[in-house]
Amino acid sequence: MMPRYFFDLANHNNDVDDTGSELSHAAAARIEAVVFAGQYLSNNPEAVWDGSQFSVRVRNESDELLFIVDVTVRDMKKEQVAPDLHREPLP
Amino acid sequence: MPSLVRYPDRGDPILPEFVPNGDRTIDRNQISEMIIAKLSRRNSLDAEDHLAIRGLSMDFRHHFASSYLVREGQPPSRCAFLVEGYAYRQKLTIDGHRTICSLEVPGDFVDLQNIYLRESDHDVLALTDVISVDIPVAEMRVLAETAPAVGRAMWVDGLIEGAIFREWLLNIGRRNARSRVAHILCEFSTRLQAAGLAPELTADLPMTQEQLGDALGLTSVHVNRILRTMEAEGLVTRGKRQITITDWQGIRRVATFNPRYLHLHQEQPGKVVKNR
């Protein structure tokens, strides 16, 4: 029996994986998360359009968060016009 | 690394006249009728053709799930006909990544092409436990060449396999992931129904997420998510190793499924049959 990992999609809809997939180890889960993000986005490219956040979050069976794959699109024209809006916030 | 040419796993032999299956027995007469029924869907056959088919030698074989019926590179000596259970064809890349190229259901010849090709270019494995019959390749060739209507039926079967591969190419090449999953479910149900194996258009597909992923060019994580969503929508229910369609019209819409490519009715060549 291989360990089970859970892959949640976090975007404007929060899509929690309650069944999971058996994979050999955490490194394999990291790879599958990236591949999954790519396959999902190739069918739903609008999920990262115009600043909306797209993430795949990987948990293990103990519900520990192991990895997050974040994909964003940055509109550079908008950033040029209003650079202040994109500056890192002060600590 | 050179691949070893190994002879096929022949499975366990079973007493030729008696194949226990729960409270049923299967005998060679029933198998002959299955073969006649299948080839009759590919071309109209007459009484002499039926007689020739009934004269074929058959060895019953049992294969456990995940065992090999045919291995890539082997020179074929016998043709396998699926009696019970399901099988699949696979090819592997050099680093062991697998594609499942097709599914085979009861009533299918799993390697009809190997009657005329010198070596197999793919593996065929049992998806579930399988009962099959082995027919010597030489007898199949004689049958094809002395009973031309049967030969044509085998030829048409090969053409239909090609059509199914083209549809799988479209599925993996361009359909979105959700439609891909729906499409393979529709195809499986339709083929079982055409073979008289499923009373309605629902069927249990005994594949794991990983196997589905390999058949559809998707990671099992993606397959899992798609099935979860379909279950929430009432389109399917699923167990650990099986998926059942619960809303045939719904799944068919998601798949944009058109059974034309299955060429289901070829009994009267030249006559145009309207698709459902």
Side-chain angles (χ1 to χ4, degrees), chain A residues 1 4 7 9 15-23 32-33 35-36 39-40 43, chain B residues 174-178 180 209-210 217-222 224-225 228-229 238 240:
Chain A
M1 265 290 264
R4 191 165 283 270
F7 298 80
L9 267 189
D15 188 335
V16 173
D17 180 1
D18 55 7
T19 43
S21 299
E22 281 184 13
L23 294 163
E32 291 307 301
V35 172
F36 172 45
Q39 287 181 353
Y40 180 87
N43 287 158
Chain B
R174 289 297 174 197
R175 284 208 174 92
N176 67 57
R178 191 168 133 88
R180 286 183 212 183
Q209 294 169 19
E210 291 72 22
L218 298 172
T219 167
S220 62
V221 173
H222 202 171
N224 182 29
R225 182 180 179 275
R228 211 168 63 236
T229 310
R238 53 179 184 150
K240 183 161 180 177

Side-chain angles (χ1 to χ4, degrees), chain A residues 3-70:
Chain A
R4 191 165 283 270
Y5 298 89
F6 300 84
F7 298 80
D8 306 325
L9 267 189
N11 50 11
H12 53 283
N13 307 312
N14 272 322
D15 188 335
V16 173
D17 180 1
D18 55 7
T19 43
S21 299
E22 281 184 13
L23 294 163
S24 49
H25 48 294
R30 191 174 75 191
I31 290 170
E32 291 307 301
V34 176
V35 172
F36 172 45
Q39 287 181 353
Y40 180 87
L41 287 173
S42 70
N43 287 158
N44 305 279
E46 73 285 351
V48 292
W49 201 244
D50 209 15
S52 41
Q53 177 80 46
F54 174 87
S55 305
V56 176
R57 295 166 174 244
V58 187
R59 292 175 284 124
N60 62 14
E61 286 164 302
S62 314
D63 213 32
E64 294 171 302
L65 184 60
L66 300 176
F67 309 108
I68 301 179
V69 179
D70 281 329

Side-chain angles (χ1 to χ4, degrees), chain B residues 5-257:
Chain B
V5 175
R6 280 181 285 184
Y7 284 92
D9 295 343
R10 306 230 22 226
D12 301 319
I14 314 178
L15 290 172
E17 302 306 325
F18 171 78
V19 177
N21 180 46
D23 56 357
R24 278 195 303 124
T25 62
I26 311 167
D27 64 25
R28 55 179 64 247
N29 293 323
Q30 283 178 279
I31 309 304
S32 299
E33 295 312 307
M34 278 180 79
I35 296 174
I36 288 169
K38 174 51 175 283
L39 292 173
S40 296
R41 286 203 302 278
R42 302 299 188 230
N43 188 31
S44 304
L45 303 179
D46 64 21
E48 275 191 36
D49 297 323
H50 295 184
L51 208 60
I53 291 168
R54 289 197 192 102
L56 291 168
S57 308
M58 296 180 196
D59 280 335
F60 283 76
R61 296 280 155 195
H62 174 266
H63 302 269
F64 287 109
S66 304
S67 65
Y68 283 79
L69 277 74
V70 178
R71 278 186 197 264
E72 181 174 341
Q74 88 186 28
S77 60
R78 83 286 186 279
C79 190
F81 180 78
L82 264 191
V83 176
E84 283 206 4
Y86 307 103
Y88 62 93
R89 296 177 208 236
Q90 72 172 24
K91 291 184 71 99
L92 301 170
T93 64
I94 199 76
D95 39 12
H97 297 298
R98 174 179 70 178
T99 281
I100 289 179
C101 328
S102 73
L103 296 176
E104 314 301 323
V105 306
D108 285 344
F109 286 97
V110 297
D111 53 359
L112 208 55
Q113 61 169 49
N114 288 338
I115 294 175
Y116 290 114
L117 294 178
R118 292 178 189 277
E119 58 183 342
S120 183
D121 51 64
H122 57 275
D123 300 317
V124 182
L125 284 84
L127 181 62
T128 61
D129 285 357
V130 158
I131 293 176
S132 61
V133 291
D134 285 353
I135 303 167
V137 164
E139 285 190 31
M140 292 293 280
R141 284 193 200 135
V142 166
L143 176 64
E145 289 156 25
T146 58
V150 179
R152 176 169 165 162
M154 293 181 195
W155 188 356
V156 169
D157 197 60
L159 295 174
I160 294 173
E161 277 193 355
I164 296 175
F165 287 133
R166 286 190 288 278
E167 190 71 26
W168 279 49
L169 204 58
L170 177 66
N171 216 32
I172 294 173
R174 289 297 174 197
R175 284 208 174 92
N176 67 57
R178 191 168 133 88
S179 299
R180 286 183 212 183
V181 175
H183 201 277
I184 197 174
L185 291 171
C186 289
E187 177 181 305
F188 183 74
S189 274
T190 304
R191 286 172 65 191
L192 283 191
Q193 218 233 358
L197 296 164
E200 312 145 358
L201 284 164
T202 70
D204 293 345
L205 177 61
M207 291 175 86
T208 63
Q209 294 169 19
E210 291 72 22
Q211 288 164 335
L212 267 178
D214 286 343
L216 300 174
L218 298 172
T219 167
S220 62
V221 173
H222 202 171
V223 171
N224 182 29
R225 182 180 179 275
I226 289 166
L227 289 174
R228 211 168 63 236
T229 310
M230 285 182 174
E231 196 166 29
E233 294 168 340
L235 295 169
V236 303
T237 57
R238 53 179 184 150
K240 183 161 180 177
R241 285 187 157 267
Q242 132 265 329
I243 301 146
T244 307
I245 298 175
T246 49
D247 178 358
W248 167 251
Q249 292 304 330
I251 271 285
R252 187 173 169 164
R253 265 195 301 274
V254 173
T256 61
F257 184 72

